[in-house]
Amino acid sequence: MEFENQVQKLADRIEKQRENVSTEEATKTSFILPLLNILGFDIFDPNIVIPEFTADIGKKKGEKVDYAIVINDKPIILIEAKTHTEKLDRHKSQLERYFTVTDSKFAILTNGIEYLFYSDLAKPNIMDEKPFLTINMLELKSRDIKELEKFKFENFDVENILNMAGVQKYVSAIKDIFKNETKNPSDEFVKLFASQIISKPLRQNIIDEFRGYVKQSFSEIITDLVSQKINSLNDKLQEDETEVINEDIPKKDDNGIVTTDEELEGYFIVKSILAKSLELKRVAQRDTKSYFGILLDDNNRKWIARLHFNYSNKYIEVREDEKSGTKYQLENIEDIYKYEKELLSAIEFLIK
């Protein structure tokens, strides 16, 4: 879990910083080296991470690859880095040449956002034409992080990674075929279905007719699967919300304090925002006659926000420093979502 959190934090940082990173060196420093560090490779040890690694190619002497990762005194991974704004396809041949003249088992072509992982599964010491793994830091999936974890220094096992690479090679190929066939079904793909539905000869006019049926069928299947997933998530959210309401709805107390539906709605909106960076069990509420308080760890001194809804004009007050906060007028309760950044900053301040 710690590794996943570290990778996700780096991905979030890349998203925020990429507009200000414009050179190859800045891409290396801000995006690539931090990932190598998360993977456990000491970026300050030139015996492990060698920058500008020399890979002489025939008569070309002094050819350099951006980084070589050395394990057991052997360069196991070559890394060619480009600026994050560059497309990687045009630089593949350069990395292929480096790979051929070294003993490395893996090669990575990256612009700091997209990482293409290659090996020599087809022919020994010849870099494969297609990567066995592609990871985009701005579109991370849980399975990407699990595969990336195999490259951690402490876990590094060449055979284990090659086994994964072999599986990924065929899985990726099948996914590509499936994507292409669902977009533009080939005659062979159409025949597979048509032959099980009709008994007459599959002439070209029949194949062309069924091609439309196949495309529509797969489009509806994908739509249905997405819809099912969304409905499943909504059902889970409703169950969780019911549990939260049962736990959190306060009763009228002896001081005459009444918690309104609007205050509860505002409270749940704030909780949904804070869930991005905090365990929800750490968020508590405490109503008063003047305002509805939202607290960290049920501690009055650690108030995050205060809902001032007992007046004709409604405000949310968001914590800024040790004692004070800033009030923002709300035209409606949903306006609270506009202050997501401020609420998350309040949490950062309180945790620090």
Side-chain angles (χ1 to χ4, degrees):
M1 184 60 71
E2 182 181 356
F3 176 75
E4 183 175 349
N5 290 338
Q6 289 176 328
V7 174
Q8 191 60 61
K9 283 182 181 179
L10 175 60
D12 294 341
R13 200 171 80 208
I14 290 173
E15 176 65 57
K16 293 176 183 177
Q17 294 180 348
R18 60 177 171 156
E19 296 301 324
N20 299 318
V21 174
S22 57
T23 66
E24 185 176 307
E25 286 305 313
T27 300
K28 292 177 185 176
T29 302
S30 302
F31 299 166
I32 299 171
L33 289 176
L35 181 59
L36 294 182
N37 193 53
I38 291 171
L39 288 169
F41 297 107
D42 189 345
I43 59 177
F44 301 107
D45 187 343
N47 295 312
I48 296 177
V49 179
I50 305 177
E52 298 297 313
F53 180 75
T54 302
D56 292 334
I57 305 171
K59 294 181 180 180
K60 290 186 177 181
K61 303 297 181 182
E63 289 283 303
K64 297 181 184 298
V65 64
D66 287 299
Y67 299 103
I69 305 296
V70 176
I71 297 177
N72 296 327
D73 299 323
K74 292 182 179 180
I76 297 296
I77 307 173
L78 300 182
I79 302 174
E80 183 65 16
K82 300 300 173 185
T83 308
H84 76 88
T85 54
E86 289 194 52
K87 299 293 184 183
L88 295 176
D89 294 344
R90 69 187 69 172
H91 301 289
K92 177 171 168 282
S93 59
Q94 187 178 3
L95 188 57
E96 284 175 331
R97 296 196 303 272
Y98 297 149
F99 189 88
T100 302
V101 297
T102 67
D103 295 325
S104 57
K105 294 301 297 178
F106 306 102
I108 301 174
L109 181 58
T110 180
N111 58 12
I113 293 177
E114 189 174 29
Y115 286 79
L116 308 182
F117 293 76
Y118 295 88
S119 189
D120 55 354
L121 300 173
K123 294 181 181 179
N125 211 37
I126 303 295
M127 194 175 93
D128 294 328
E129 182 181 349
K130 293 184 178 181
F132 65 82
L133 179 65
T134 298
I135 292 178
N136 189 314
M137 295 295 288
L138 302 183
E139 300 173 4
L140 279 176
K141 305 176 184 67
S142 295
R143 63 174 177 266
D144 293 335
I145 297 177
K146 288 180 181 177
E147 302 297 8
L148 187 61
E149 194 166 13
K150 293 184 174 68
F151 285 87
K152 286 183 68 176
F153 180 70
E154 63 191 58
N155 300 337
F156 202 92
D157 184 310
V158 171
E159 290 304 316
N160 185 34
I161 298 175
L162 286 176
N163 288 337
M164 177 268 286
V167 172
Q168 286 297 325
K169 174 184 176 181
Y170 293 116
V171 169
S172 297
I174 292 170
K175 286 165 66 177
D176 288 340
I177 293 170
F178 185 78
K179 288 177 184 177
N180 292 332
E181 292 288 3
T182 54
K183 288 180 182 177
N184 186 25
S186 65
D187 287 359
E188 291 75 16
F189 194 66
V190 173
K191 288 178 183 178
L192 174 66
F193 297 98
S195 64
Q196 299 180 58
I197 299 172
I198 59 175
S199 56
K200 54 186 172 181
L202 297 178
R203 296 188 174 92
Q204 192 61 47
N205 63 323
I206 300 294
I207 293 172
D208 291 339
E209 178 186 349
F210 264 81
R211 198 185 321 275
Y213 302 152
V214 171
K215 288 181 68 173
Q216 181 176 341
S217 297
F218 274 97
S219 176
E220 291 182 4
I221 287 171
I222 292 169
T223 300
D224 290 345
L225 288 173
V226 171
S227 179
Q228 288 173 13
K229 186 68 173 177
I230 291 173
N231 289 337
S232 175
L233 288 172
N234 284 338
D235 291 343
K236 181 67 168 63
L237 286 172
Q238 288 175 3
E239 290 175 9
D240 292 346
E241 185 175 294
T242 300
E243 291 178 7
V244 169
I245 290 174
N246 289 337
E247 292 174 1
D248 288 349
I249 290 182
K251 305 296 187 293
K252 180 175 179 179
D253 63 22
D254 295 336
N255 296 320
I257 297 171
V258 177
T259 300
T260 67
D261 290 340
E262 285 187 329
E263 287 172 330
L264 286 174
E265 184 179 350
Y267 172 51
F268 292 128
I269 290 175
V270 172
K271 286 190 76 169
S272 71
I273 292 171
L274 298 181
K276 296 182 179 181
S277 63
L278 194 68
E279 290 182 280
L280 285 181
K281 65 182 182 180
R282 297 189 65 186
V283 183
Q285 57 77 29
R286 196 170 300 178
D287 202 358
T288 72
K289 288 184 178 180
S290 301
Y291 58 80
F292 182 101
I294 302 172
L295 315 174
L296 177 64
D297 299 331
D298 202 16
N299 187 330
N300 255 336
R301 289 178 297 177
K302 295 182 180 180
W303 65 274
I304 304 165
R306 291 168 175 168
L307 305 180
H308 298 270
F309 287 1
N310 298 330
Y311 309 94
S312 56
N313 291 324
K314 295 179 174 58
Y315 298 86
I316 181 172
E317 183 179 3
V318 182
R319 180 73 169 265
E320 281 201 343
D321 53 35
E322 287 294 337
K323 294 183 179 180
S324 63
T326 300
K327 289 183 179 179
Y328 303 96
Q329 186 170 347
L330 306 172
E331 292 185 9
N332 53 63
I333 307 301
E334 290 77 12
D335 281 350
I336 292 173
Y337 285 111
K338 296 179 181 178
Y339 305 105
E340 175 179 336
K341 181 179 178 181
E342 288 79 2
L343 286 163
L344 294 175
S345 295
I347 285 296
E348 288 182 12
F349 168 76
L350 288 169
I351 290 176
K352 288 179 181 177

